Amino acid sequence: MEKYSIMKSVNMHPKKGKRTILEMTQILKRHGYCTLGEAFNRLDFSSAIQDIRRFNYVVKLLQLIAKSQLTSLSGVAQKNYFNILDKIVQKVLDDHHNPRLIKDLLQDLSSTLCILIRGVGKSVLVGNINIWICRLETILAWQQQLQDLQMTKQVNNGLTLSDLPLHMLNNILYRFSDGWDIITLGQVTPTLYMLSEDRQLWKKLCQYHFAEKQFCRHLILSEKGHIEWKLMYFALRKHYPAKEQYGDTLHFCRHCSILFWKDSGHPCTAADPDSCFTPVSPQHFIDLFKF
């Protein structure tokens, strides 16, 4: 349990801004987490990716590191990072779980590495340049494997998606929080395509991710004067970050100074434990090591 005890009582509300981040950074240092690499090594993300509820959270964290924090990792942290990445890729190749998410991660990582390798001498890359070139080649090979990935069709005589009644299919579509997932599912059958084009579905998706003020700034109307919610969704995605959604997230207990996965629970000794728990998004986690 000691490896999760990294913070003390600090409010992580975004309105606190840089002051809160700086306070938490000092607390992390007192608990031996002076760098992102140290925190990354001490938290067991390798096991977390085996849990489908935590998989997307870890992938997002790796993607954020790939975009801006790769050079801050120590040699040991680099090795740990790429070992976890290898397990993620192999998992996707085995069970075909969310390949688009991993493709985005590898694209960001390969772009970052290309820039760093070309600018060697101007940027700080911990380790031999040949190791980084080898890693880039591995990433390119993974990208090709994912590109060639074909979903195998399982033949069985049981109930299929097409056998479900319309209200159940509609229910499934309303469970998605990503517009691209809705479009992808809509390509499966003509019925699903019809349901995926429903204006109310895209309106709900816009309302879930974005504020009403943001709608007004990017309003898109049809010739008949109706709001084009589907076009609105993708227009808003270009200007504002969509709400992140994870099955399970890291939480911080301000009373016990413990960082833990929410679904794993935490035996807090406070009189009102729930009031002490604060969710820690992947971006929050990264921000702690930028100062």
Side-chain angles (χ1 to χ4, degrees):
M1 184 63 73
E2 183 274 333
K3 65 180 179 181
Y4 299 111
S5 180
I6 67 174
M7 306 180 195
K8 283 191 177 179
S9 178
V10 178
N11 190 339
M12 284 188 63
H13 194 282
K15 290 184 179 179
K16 295 293 183 179
K18 289 186 177 181
R19 180 183 175 187
T20 297
I21 298 296
L22 287 169
E23 288 172 350
M24 294 191 70
T25 300
Q26 295 302 315
I27 292 167
L28 286 167
K29 288 182 179 179
R30 290 201 296 272
H31 284 77
Y33 288 79
C34 297
T35 67
L36 173 63
E38 290 170 350
F40 190 80
N41 286 338
R42 293 173 67 178
L43 292 168
D44 193 10
F45 292 122
S46 185
S47 297
I49 64 170
Q50 303 305 322
D51 189 327
I52 193 171
R53 298 164 302 169
R54 301 169 185 172
F55 183 85
N56 287 10
Y57 185 100
V58 179
V59 171
K60 180 65 175 180
L61 181 59
L62 264 61
Q63 188 173 21
L64 290 172
I65 292 174
K67 286 181 177 180
S68 62
Q69 300 294 309
L70 201 59
T71 56
S72 69
L73 298 183
S74 65
V76 174
Q78 290 172 20
K79 186 176 180 180
N80 191 16
Y81 180 97
F82 282 95
N83 282 341
I84 293 173
L85 185 58
D86 182 28
K87 292 179 180 179
I88 288 174
V89 173
Q90 298 311 316
K91 180 177 175 60
V92 173
L93 292 174
D94 290 340
D95 61 20
H96 300 173
H97 173 67
N98 212 341
R100 181 168 55 82
L101 188 66
I102 312 308
K103 288 178 182 179
D104 291 344
L105 164 58
L106 293 179
Q107 182 58 47
D108 288 336
L109 185 56
S110 62
S111 297
T112 299
L113 281 183
C114 284
I115 294 171
L116 291 174
I117 289 173
R118 284 199 301 266
V120 67
K122 299 178 182 178
S123 60
V124 180
L125 271 177
V126 178
N128 190 292
I129 185 64
N130 293 323
I131 295 176
W132 285 102
I133 293 174
C134 183
R135 285 170 175 164
L136 178 58
E137 291 173 346
T138 300
I139 292 167
L140 296 176
W142 284 338
Q143 287 179 306
Q144 188 60 53
Q145 286 178 283
L146 290 170
Q147 191 66 33
D148 297 338
L149 181 65
Q150 294 183 357
M151 302 300 181
T152 56
K153 184 177 181 181
Q154 295 182 350
V155 179
N156 58 63
N157 298 320
L159 191 69
T160 67
L161 196 62
S162 301
D163 297 321
L164 296 176
L166 285 178
H167 75 276
M168 292 187 69
L169 292 174
N170 206 38
N171 234 355
I172 292 172
L173 284 166
Y174 270 82
R175 299 286 180 177
F176 286 115
S177 62
D178 190 297
W180 285 112
D181 290 334
I182 293 174
I183 289 177
T184 301
L185 187 59
Q187 295 171 347
V188 175
T189 67
T191 300
L192 283 168
Y193 175 76
M194 175 196 69
L195 294 173
S196 71
E197 291 294 308
D198 179 50
R199 291 180 67 252
Q200 191 66 20
L201 171 66
W202 290 97
K203 179 180 179 180
K204 291 289 185 182
L205 195 63
C206 285
Q207 290 174 335
Y208 174 77
H209 285 289
F210 308 107
E212 190 172 339
K213 290 182 179 179
Q214 296 169 335
F215 296 162
C216 298
R217 294 172 187 164
H218 303 278
L219 200 62
I220 302 175
L221 300 176
S222 67
E223 293 180 358
K224 295 182 179 180
H226 299 304
I227 297 177
E228 295 281 6
W229 289 107
K230 182 178 178 181
L231 296 178
M232 284 271 292
Y233 170 80
F234 289 105
L236 290 166
R237 282 292 299 265
K238 293 179 180 179
H239 294 89
Y240 308 105
K243 184 184 294 184
E244 295 180 5
Q245 188 176 47
Y246 305 103
D248 191 11
T249 62
L250 285 175
H251 273 58
F252 168 59
C253 176
R254 298 190 300 275
H255 178 76
C256 304
S257 309
I258 294 292
L259 192 66
F260 63 98
W261 290 102
K262 182 182 178 183
D263 284 359
S264 295
H266 161 56
C268 182
T269 57
D272 184 12
D274 290 344
S275 66
C276 301
F277 299 164
T278 303
V280 181
S281 71
Q283 186 61 59
H284 271 141
F285 189 86
I286 294 294
D287 288 344
L288 295 173
F289 302 93
K290 287 185 176 179
F291 297 94

